[in-house]
Amino acid sequence: EEPWVPLRPVMPGESAAATLKEAMTTAHGEACGKAVTAREYLDVMCPVSGNKRSDAGADDANSLGDGSGLSKSQLAALPLERRIRALFAMGQKSCMKFSRIRQFVTEPVALEQLIRVIQDSAHLVQGVWVAKSTLRCDGDVTWENMRDSALFQFARTRNVKPELVSPCTKRNGQNDSALVKMRRDILAELSAPRGYGSTADGWEFNDLTDESFLAEFPDVAEREMESWLALAPSLDVTLQGNDLVIPMTPPHISQIRLTTVRTLVLSRFEDKTHLSLADIRRFLLTQAPDIAACAFFRQAELLGMFNGEMACIEGICVLVSVGDPAIDPLRLKILGLLYQQGGVVKRSDIIDARAGGSAP
Protein backbone atom coordinates (compact mmCIF):
# COMPACT_ATOMS: atom_id res chain seq x y z
CA GLU A 1 0.00 0.00 0.00
CA GLU A 2 1.21 3.51 -0.78
CA PRO A 3 1.88 5.48 2.44
CA TRP A 4 0.21 8.79 3.11
CA VAL A 5 2.48 11.73 2.27
CA PRO A 6 2.15 14.91 4.35
CA LEU A 7 1.71 17.98 2.15
CA ARG A 8 2.93 21.42 3.14
CA PRO A 9 1.50 24.43 1.31
CA VAL A 10 3.98 26.81 -0.31
CA MET A 11 2.97 30.43 0.14
CA PRO A 12 3.67 33.27 -2.33
CA GLY A 13 6.97 34.94 -1.63
CA GLU A 14 8.76 31.83 -0.40
CA SER A 15 11.87 30.79 -2.28
CA ALA A 16 10.36 27.43 -3.16
CA ALA A 17 7.40 29.17 -4.81
CA ALA A 18 9.70 31.41 -6.83
CA THR A 19 11.72 28.39 -7.98
CA LEU A 20 8.62 26.50 -9.08
CA LYS A 21 7.22 29.52 -10.90
CA GLU A 22 10.48 30.03 -12.76
CA ALA A 23 10.48 26.37 -13.83
CA MET A 24 6.87 26.49 -15.01
CA THR A 25 6.70 29.80 -16.88
CA THR A 26 8.49 31.33 -19.82
CA ALA A 27 8.45 34.60 -21.65
CA HIS A 28 6.21 34.81 -24.72
CA GLY A 29 7.94 33.31 -27.75
CA GLU A 30 10.77 31.83 -25.70
CA ALA A 31 11.55 28.13 -26.04
CA CYS A 32 10.26 26.08 -23.11
CA GLY A 33 13.24 23.74 -23.01
CA LYS A 34 13.03 19.98 -22.66
CA ALA A 35 9.48 18.64 -22.50
CA VAL A 36 8.63 16.56 -19.43
CA THR A 37 6.16 13.72 -19.08
CA ALA A 38 3.07 13.91 -16.89
CA ARG A 39 4.77 11.50 -14.46
CA GLU A 40 7.87 13.71 -14.18
CA TYR A 41 5.69 16.78 -13.64
CA LEU A 42 3.79 14.96 -10.88
CA ASP A 43 7.04 13.92 -9.20
CA VAL A 44 8.15 17.56 -9.03
CA MET A 45 4.83 19.00 -7.88
CA CYS A 46 3.98 16.18 -5.41
CA PRO A 47 7.21 14.49 -4.32
CA VAL A 48 6.91 10.95 -2.96
CA SER A 49 8.99 9.93 0.04
CA GLY A 50 11.55 7.21 -0.67
CA ASN A 51 11.66 5.78 -4.19
CA LYS A 52 10.46 7.89 -7.06
CA ARG A 53 7.37 6.77 -8.92
CA SER A 54 8.13 4.22 -11.58
CA ASP A 55 8.06 5.70 -15.07
CA ALA A 56 6.83 2.59 -16.82
CA GLY A 57 4.47 3.53 -19.57
CA ALA A 58 2.67 5.94 -17.21
CA ASP A 59 1.71 3.04 -14.92
CA ASP A 60 2.93 2.08 -11.46
CA ALA A 61 4.73 -1.23 -11.72
CA ASN A 62 3.55 -2.24 -8.23
CA SER A 63 -0.01 -2.84 -9.36
CA LEU A 64 -1.98 -3.35 -12.53
CA GLY A 65 -3.56 0.05 -12.11
CA ASP A 66 -6.40 -1.15 -14.26
CA GLY A 67 -9.24 -2.17 -11.99
CA SER A 68 -8.46 -5.89 -12.19
CA GLY A 69 -8.07 -6.12 -8.43
CA LEU A 70 -4.73 -7.94 -8.69
CA SER A 71 -1.66 -6.44 -7.07
CA LYS A 72 1.84 -7.18 -8.28
CA SER A 73 2.40 -9.49 -5.31
CA GLN A 74 -0.74 -11.45 -6.20
CA LEU A 75 0.38 -11.70 -9.81
CA ALA A 76 3.86 -12.80 -8.73
CA ALA A 77 2.30 -15.75 -6.92
CA LEU A 78 0.84 -17.04 -10.20
CA PRO A 79 2.80 -19.29 -12.59
CA LEU A 80 4.32 -17.30 -15.43
CA GLU A 81 1.79 -18.46 -18.06
CA ARG A 82 -1.21 -17.57 -15.88
CA ARG A 83 0.37 -14.28 -14.85
CA ILE A 84 0.84 -13.13 -18.43
CA ARG A 85 -2.67 -14.28 -19.34
CA ALA A 86 -4.12 -12.35 -16.38
CA LEU A 87 -2.35 -9.19 -17.53
CA PHE A 88 -3.98 -9.37 -20.95
CA ALA A 89 -7.34 -10.83 -19.95
CA MET A 90 -8.10 -8.66 -16.93
CA GLY A 91 -6.24 -5.44 -17.59
CA GLN A 92 -7.98 -2.26 -18.63
CA LYS A 93 -5.25 -1.81 -21.22
CA SER A 94 -5.26 -4.49 -23.88
CA CYS A 95 -1.99 -3.27 -25.46
CA MET A 96 1.42 -3.47 -23.77
CA LYS A 97 4.99 -2.97 -24.84
CA PHE A 98 7.44 -5.79 -24.21
CA SER A 99 9.36 -3.64 -21.73
CA ARG A 100 6.17 -3.13 -19.71
CA ILE A 101 5.37 -6.85 -19.62
CA ARG A 102 8.87 -7.65 -18.35
CA GLN A 103 8.19 -5.63 -15.21
CA PHE A 104 5.79 -8.37 -14.13
CA VAL A 105 8.29 -11.18 -14.68
CA THR A 106 9.95 -11.83 -11.32
CA GLU A 107 11.78 -15.07 -12.10
CA PRO A 108 14.78 -15.57 -14.38
CA VAL A 109 13.55 -16.53 -17.83
CA ALA A 110 15.12 -16.33 -21.28
CA LEU A 111 13.63 -13.59 -23.45
CA GLU A 112 12.80 -16.08 -26.20
CA GLN A 113 10.88 -18.24 -23.74
CA LEU A 114 9.02 -15.19 -22.40
CA ILE A 115 8.01 -14.23 -25.92
CA ARG A 116 6.63 -17.74 -26.52
CA VAL A 117 4.55 -17.41 -23.36
CA ILE A 118 3.27 -13.99 -24.44
CA GLN A 119 2.30 -15.37 -27.86
CA ASP A 120 -0.20 -17.69 -26.17
CA SER A 121 -2.12 -14.63 -24.88
CA ALA A 122 -1.37 -11.80 -27.31
CA HIS A 123 -0.65 -10.84 -30.91
CA LEU A 124 2.09 -8.54 -32.14
CA VAL A 125 0.70 -5.38 -33.75
CA GLN A 126 3.07 -2.54 -34.66
CA GLY A 127 5.67 -4.02 -32.31
CA VAL A 128 3.19 -3.86 -29.40
CA TRP A 129 1.57 -6.92 -27.79
CA VAL A 130 -2.25 -6.81 -27.96
CA ALA A 131 -4.51 -9.16 -26.00
CA LYS A 132 -6.10 -11.94 -28.04
CA SER A 133 -9.76 -11.38 -28.81
CA THR A 134 -10.67 -14.65 -27.09
CA LEU A 135 -9.52 -13.03 -23.85
CA ARG A 136 -11.43 -9.78 -24.31
CA CYS A 137 -14.76 -10.51 -26.02
CA ASP A 138 -16.69 -12.59 -23.46
CA GLY A 139 -17.20 -15.46 -25.90
CA ASP A 140 -19.00 -13.31 -28.50
CA VAL A 141 -17.82 -14.88 -31.76
CA THR A 142 -18.97 -11.95 -33.93
CA TRP A 143 -17.09 -9.52 -31.70
CA GLU A 144 -13.99 -11.73 -31.73
CA ASN A 145 -13.93 -11.98 -35.52
CA MET A 146 -14.48 -8.26 -36.06
CA ARG A 147 -11.78 -7.38 -33.53
CA ASP A 148 -9.37 -9.80 -35.21
CA SER A 149 -10.15 -8.13 -38.54
CA ALA A 150 -9.24 -4.78 -36.97
CA LEU A 151 -6.01 -6.18 -35.55
CA PHE A 152 -5.18 -7.69 -38.94
CA GLN A 153 -5.51 -4.27 -40.57
CA PHE A 154 -3.53 -2.45 -37.85
CA ALA A 155 -0.79 -5.08 -38.07
CA ARG A 156 -0.31 -4.02 -41.70
CA THR A 157 -0.62 -0.24 -41.24
CA ARG A 158 -1.11 2.30 -38.47
CA ASN A 159 -4.05 4.03 -40.18
CA VAL A 160 -7.20 2.08 -41.03
CA LYS A 161 -10.52 2.93 -42.66
CA PRO A 162 -13.55 1.65 -40.68
CA GLU A 163 -15.00 -0.13 -43.71
CA LEU A 164 -11.85 -2.33 -43.83
CA VAL A 165 -12.69 -3.62 -40.34
CA SER A 166 -16.30 -4.46 -41.20
CA PRO A 167 -18.87 -3.25 -43.73
CA CYS A 168 -21.37 -3.47 -40.83
CA THR A 169 -24.02 -5.06 -42.97
CA LYS A 170 -25.90 -8.29 -42.51
CA ARG A 171 -25.40 -10.88 -45.22
CA ASN A 172 -28.71 -9.77 -46.74
CA GLY A 173 -27.12 -6.42 -47.50
CA GLN A 174 -28.97 -4.35 -44.88
CA ASN A 175 -27.19 -2.16 -42.34
CA ASP A 176 -27.05 -3.54 -38.80
CA SER A 177 -26.90 -0.92 -36.05
CA ALA A 178 -25.54 -3.49 -33.58
CA LEU A 179 -22.60 -4.19 -35.90
CA VAL A 180 -22.00 -0.45 -36.35
CA LYS A 181 -21.77 0.01 -32.58
CA MET A 182 -19.55 -3.04 -32.22
CA ARG A 183 -17.15 -1.72 -34.84
CA ARG A 184 -17.07 1.69 -33.17
CA ASP A 185 -16.31 0.14 -29.78
CA ILE A 186 -13.53 -2.01 -31.22
CA LEU A 187 -11.91 0.91 -32.98
CA ALA A 188 -12.19 3.05 -29.83
CA GLU A 189 -10.35 0.34 -27.86
CA LEU A 190 -7.43 0.12 -30.27
CA SER A 191 -7.22 3.50 -31.98
CA ALA A 192 -8.23 7.14 -32.20
CA PRO A 193 -10.03 8.93 -35.06
CA ARG A 194 -7.99 11.03 -37.45
CA GLY A 195 -10.09 14.17 -37.84
CA TYR A 196 -13.86 14.56 -37.46
CA GLY A 197 -16.89 15.03 -39.67
CA SER A 198 -16.01 15.83 -43.26
CA THR A 199 -12.28 15.81 -42.40
CA ALA A 200 -12.36 12.29 -40.91
CA ASP A 201 -9.53 10.19 -42.29
CA GLY A 202 -9.83 6.77 -40.68
CA TRP A 203 -8.46 5.62 -37.33
CA GLU A 204 -4.85 5.58 -36.10
CA PHE A 205 -3.48 2.84 -33.84
CA ASN A 206 -3.18 4.19 -30.29
CA ASP A 207 0.28 2.99 -29.34
CA LEU A 208 3.43 4.20 -31.01
CA THR A 209 5.17 1.52 -33.03
CA ASP A 210 7.75 -0.18 -30.78
CA GLU A 211 10.69 0.13 -33.14
CA SER A 212 13.14 -1.08 -30.48
CA PHE A 213 11.35 -4.45 -30.16
CA LEU A 214 11.08 -4.86 -33.93
CA ALA A 215 14.80 -4.16 -34.27
CA GLU A 216 15.80 -6.55 -31.47
CA PHE A 217 13.48 -9.41 -32.48
CA PRO A 218 12.99 -9.21 -36.28
CA ASP A 219 12.36 -12.98 -36.55
CA VAL A 220 9.47 -12.77 -34.08
CA ALA A 221 7.95 -9.85 -36.00
CA GLU A 222 8.28 -11.74 -39.28
CA ARG A 223 6.60 -14.89 -37.94
CA GLU A 224 3.77 -12.87 -36.42
CA MET A 225 3.14 -11.11 -39.72
CA GLU A 226 3.21 -14.44 -41.55
CA SER A 227 0.49 -15.66 -39.18
CA TRP A 228 -1.65 -12.60 -39.91
CA LEU A 229 -1.23 -12.91 -43.67
CA ALA A 230 -2.06 -16.64 -43.59
CA LEU A 231 -5.46 -15.70 -42.15
CA ALA A 232 -6.13 -12.96 -44.72
CA PRO A 233 -8.93 -14.91 -46.52
CA SER A 234 -10.85 -14.99 -43.22
CA LEU A 235 -9.93 -11.56 -41.81
CA ASP A 236 -9.55 -9.24 -44.81
CA VAL A 237 -13.07 -8.04 -45.65
CA THR A 238 -11.95 -7.06 -49.15
CA LEU A 239 -11.28 -10.75 -49.88
CA GLN A 240 -14.45 -12.13 -48.31
CA GLY A 241 -17.40 -13.22 -50.42
CA ASN A 242 -20.51 -15.29 -49.93
CA ASP A 243 -18.74 -18.63 -50.14
CA LEU A 244 -17.97 -20.64 -47.03
CA VAL A 245 -14.32 -20.04 -46.13
CA ILE A 246 -12.26 -23.06 -45.07
CA PRO A 247 -9.10 -21.62 -43.39
CA MET A 248 -5.70 -23.08 -44.19
CA THR A 249 -3.54 -24.81 -41.60
CA PRO A 250 -1.64 -22.20 -39.52
CA PRO A 251 2.07 -22.19 -40.47
CA HIS A 252 3.41 -21.77 -36.92
CA ILE A 253 1.62 -24.69 -35.21
CA SER A 254 3.66 -27.80 -34.41
CA GLN A 255 2.55 -31.12 -35.85
CA ILE A 256 2.12 -32.55 -32.34
CA ARG A 257 -0.29 -29.76 -31.43
CA LEU A 258 -2.18 -30.16 -34.71
CA THR A 259 -2.62 -33.91 -34.33
CA THR A 260 -3.54 -33.77 -30.65
CA VAL A 261 -6.13 -31.00 -30.98
CA ARG A 262 -7.66 -32.56 -34.09
CA THR A 263 -7.96 -35.98 -32.45
CA LEU A 264 -9.41 -34.63 -29.20
CA VAL A 265 -12.01 -32.37 -30.81
CA LEU A 266 -13.11 -34.75 -33.56
CA SER A 267 -13.72 -37.41 -30.92
CA ARG A 268 -16.37 -35.09 -29.44
CA PHE A 269 -18.36 -35.36 -32.68
CA GLU A 270 -18.79 -39.11 -32.33
CA ASP A 271 -22.12 -38.64 -30.56
CA LYS A 272 -22.92 -35.03 -31.54
CA THR A 273 -23.96 -33.35 -34.79
CA HIS A 274 -22.55 -29.97 -33.77
CA LEU A 275 -20.57 -28.20 -31.04
CA SER A 276 -20.39 -24.54 -30.16
CA LEU A 277 -17.03 -22.89 -30.57
CA ALA A 278 -17.25 -21.88 -26.91
CA ASP A 279 -17.69 -25.54 -25.87
CA ILE A 280 -14.64 -26.54 -27.90
CA ARG A 281 -12.57 -23.82 -26.27
CA ARG A 282 -13.72 -24.88 -22.79
CA PHE A 283 -12.89 -28.51 -23.60
CA LEU A 284 -9.37 -27.60 -24.75
CA LEU A 285 -8.81 -25.66 -21.52
CA THR A 286 -9.14 -28.94 -19.60
CA GLN A 287 -6.13 -30.40 -21.41
CA ALA A 288 -2.39 -30.06 -20.81
CA PRO A 289 -1.06 -26.45 -20.89
CA ASP A 290 0.40 -26.69 -24.40
CA ILE A 291 -2.97 -27.87 -25.78
CA ALA A 292 -5.03 -25.58 -23.53
CA ALA A 293 -3.27 -22.58 -25.08
CA CYS A 294 -4.95 -23.47 -28.39
CA ALA A 295 -8.29 -22.50 -26.84
CA PHE A 296 -7.24 -18.87 -27.24
CA PHE A 297 -6.43 -19.13 -30.94
CA ARG A 298 -8.29 -16.94 -33.42
CA GLN A 299 -11.33 -18.69 -34.89
CA ALA A 300 -9.77 -19.03 -38.33
CA GLU A 301 -6.56 -20.29 -36.71
CA LEU A 302 -8.39 -22.94 -34.70
CA LEU A 303 -10.50 -24.07 -37.68
CA GLY A 304 -7.39 -24.24 -39.83
CA MET A 305 -6.01 -26.95 -37.53
CA PHE A 306 -8.68 -29.30 -38.92
CA ASN A 307 -7.52 -29.03 -42.53
CA GLY A 308 -11.01 -28.35 -43.91
CA GLU A 309 -12.82 -31.01 -41.86
CA MET A 310 -14.75 -28.51 -39.71
CA ALA A 311 -16.67 -25.28 -40.41
CA CYS A 312 -18.02 -22.67 -38.01
CA ILE A 313 -21.20 -20.71 -38.71
CA GLU A 314 -22.41 -18.10 -36.24
CA GLY A 315 -20.38 -19.74 -33.47
CA ILE A 316 -21.60 -23.30 -34.18
CA CYS A 317 -19.07 -25.85 -35.44
CA VAL A 318 -20.04 -28.77 -37.69
CA LEU A 319 -18.21 -31.36 -39.73
CA VAL A 320 -18.00 -30.47 -43.43
CA SER A 321 -18.26 -34.12 -44.43
CA VAL A 322 -19.94 -37.16 -42.89
CA GLY A 323 -18.13 -39.52 -45.22
CA ASP A 324 -21.17 -40.29 -47.39
CA PRO A 325 -20.67 -39.34 -51.07
CA ALA A 326 -24.45 -39.29 -51.58
CA ILE A 327 -25.01 -36.72 -48.84
CA ASP A 328 -21.84 -34.64 -48.65
CA PRO A 329 -22.40 -32.50 -51.81
CA LEU A 330 -25.81 -31.31 -50.57
CA ARG A 331 -24.45 -30.92 -47.03
CA LEU A 332 -21.73 -28.59 -48.31
CA LYS A 333 -24.30 -26.53 -50.24
CA ILE A 334 -26.51 -26.19 -47.16
CA LEU A 335 -23.52 -25.11 -45.08
CA GLY A 336 -22.76 -22.49 -47.72
CA LEU A 337 -26.35 -21.21 -47.55
CA LEU A 338 -26.21 -21.04 -43.76
CA TYR A 339 -22.98 -19.06 -43.98
CA GLN A 340 -24.37 -16.67 -46.57
CA GLN A 341 -27.64 -16.04 -44.71
CA GLY A 342 -26.40 -15.69 -41.16
CA GLY A 343 -27.35 -19.17 -39.99
CA VAL A 344 -30.96 -19.12 -41.26
CA VAL A 345 -32.06 -21.02 -44.36
CA LYS A 346 -35.51 -21.34 -45.91
CA ARG A 347 -36.85 -24.75 -46.91
CA SER A 348 -37.23 -23.53 -50.49
CA ASP A 349 -33.52 -22.68 -50.58
CA ILE A 350 -32.64 -26.23 -49.56
CA ILE A 351 -35.00 -27.68 -52.19
CA ASP A 352 -33.37 -25.50 -54.83
CA ALA A 353 -29.92 -26.55 -53.69
CA ARG A 354 -30.96 -30.21 -53.74
CA ALA A 355 -32.37 -29.88 -57.22
CA GLY A 356 -29.05 -28.54 -58.41
CA GLY A 357 -27.01 -31.30 -56.72
CA SER A 358 -26.48 -34.99 -57.06
CA ALA A 359 -28.02 -36.02 -53.74
CA PRO A 360 -31.09 -38.27 -53.93
Side-chain angles (χ1 to χ4, degrees):
E1 295 182 0
E2 185 175 358
W4 287 95
V5 178
L7 300 179
R8 185 183 71 83
V10 178
M11 305 305 293
E14 294 186 31
S15 59
T19 300
L20 287 173
K21 182 178 180 181
E22 182 179 352
M24 295 168 58
T25 60
T26 181
H28 181 69
E30 181 182 337
C32 296
K34 180 180 179 295
V36 298
T37 65
R39 181 55 54 89
E40 291 170 336
Y41 176 79
L42 183 60
D43 283 326
V44 172
M45 299 304 295
C46 301
V48 175
S49 301
N51 294 333
K52 188 177 179 180
R53 293 181 181 88
S54 171
D55 187 14
D59 281 318
D60 186 352
N62 291 322
S63 68
L64 278 174
D66 52 25
S68 70
L70 291 177
S71 66
K72 187 174 181 180
S73 61
Q74 290 172 315
L75 281 172
L78 296 174
L80 180 62
E81 292 81 2
R82 289 182 57 194
R83 193 183 321 150
I84 297 300
R85 184 155 297 139
L87 283 171
F88 285 106
M90 303 171 67
Q92 182 178 357
K93 293 184 177 179
S94 59
C95 308
M96 282 185 279
K97 288 187 175 182
F98 186 60
S99 58
R100 168 64 173 154
I101 299 171
R102 290 181 63 185
Q103 294 181 27
F104 294 90
V105 179
T106 55
E107 61 272 77
V109 57
L111 295 183
E112 291 75 13
Q113 180 184 350
L114 175 59
I115 290 173
R116 287 194 294 270
V117 172
I118 294 172
Q119 287 175 316
D120 282 338
S121 298
H123 303 300
L124 191 67
V125 177
Q126 296 297 326
V128 179
W129 292 101
V130 183
K132 290 188 174 183
S133 298
T134 45
L135 294 175
R136 307 291 296 196
C137 297
D138 297 327
D140 187 322
V141 175
T142 303
W143 187 5
E144 287 179 17
N145 290 337
M146 190 184 295
R147 187 176 183 273
D148 283 338
S149 292
L151 292 176
F152 168 76
Q153 296 295 340
F154 282 119
R156 299 199 297 180
T157 178
R158 292 189 54 81
N159 302 317
V160 170
K161 300 285 188 180
E163 56 269 23
L164 291 179
V165 174
S166 170
C168 286
T169 57
K170 295 181 179 178
R171 290 196 173 94
N172 59 12
Q174 296 179 349
N175 289 330
D176 188 328
S177 58
L179 293 179
V180 173
K181 182 182 184 303
M182 184 180 293
R183 183 179 69 180
R184 184 171 61 247
D185 291 344
I186 290 170
L187 287 171
E189 174 202 349
L190 303 170
S191 57
R194 291 167 52 87
Y196 298 91
S198 60
T199 62
D201 187 26
W203 293 67
E204 183 175 9
F205 191 62
N206 276 330
D207 292 71
L208 295 176
T209 302
D210 192 346
E211 300 290 356
S212 61
F213 180 86
L214 297 177
E216 186 174 358
F217 301 99
D219 293 344
V220 174
E222 183 178 355
R223 288 196 301 271
E224 285 283 319
M225 182 54 70
E226 287 176 356
S227 296
W228 282 117
L229 295 178
L231 299 176
S234 299
L235 299 178
D236 190 343
V237 298
T238 65
L239 300 178
Q240 294 173 1
N242 290 327
D243 295 331
L244 181 65
V245 177
I246 305 297
M248 62 185 295
T249 303
H252 62 289
I253 308 299
S254 69
Q255 190 60 45
I256 293 178
R257 258 186 173 182
L258 282 172
T259 303
T260 304
V261 170
R262 189 179 300 161
T263 301
L264 286 170
V265 173
L266 291 180
S267 68
R268 306 282 288 182
F269 280 98
E270 291 178 358
D271 58 350
K272 293 180 174 64
T273 59
H274 62 274
L275 290 169
S276 73
L277 185 62
D279 285 340
I280 292 176
R281 294 192 192 281
R282 281 192 289 267
F283 171 64
L284 291 175
L285 285 174
T286 66
Q287 306 303 311
D290 187 53
I291 302 303
C294 299
F296 301 102
F297 281 6
R298 291 161 285 207
Q299 175 181 309
E301 213 168 14
L302 190 55
L303 292 178
M305 299 180 76
F306 296 87
N307 196 28
E309 294 179 76
M310 190 168 72
C312 186
I313 301 170
E314 302 294 317
I316 302 299
C317 298
V318 298
L319 297 179
V320 173
S321 169
V322 293
D324 187 334
I327 295 176
D328 283 347
L330 177 60
R331 181 182 180 87
L332 186 58
K333 288 186 178 183
I334 293 175
L335 290 177
L337 289 171
L338 288 167
Y339 175 79
Q340 295 169 20
Q341 299 171 197
V344 179
V345 175
K346 296 179 180 178
R347 180 181 177 86
S348 58
D349 294 332
I350 298 177
I351 294 175
D352 291 341
R354 183 178 179 180
S358 59

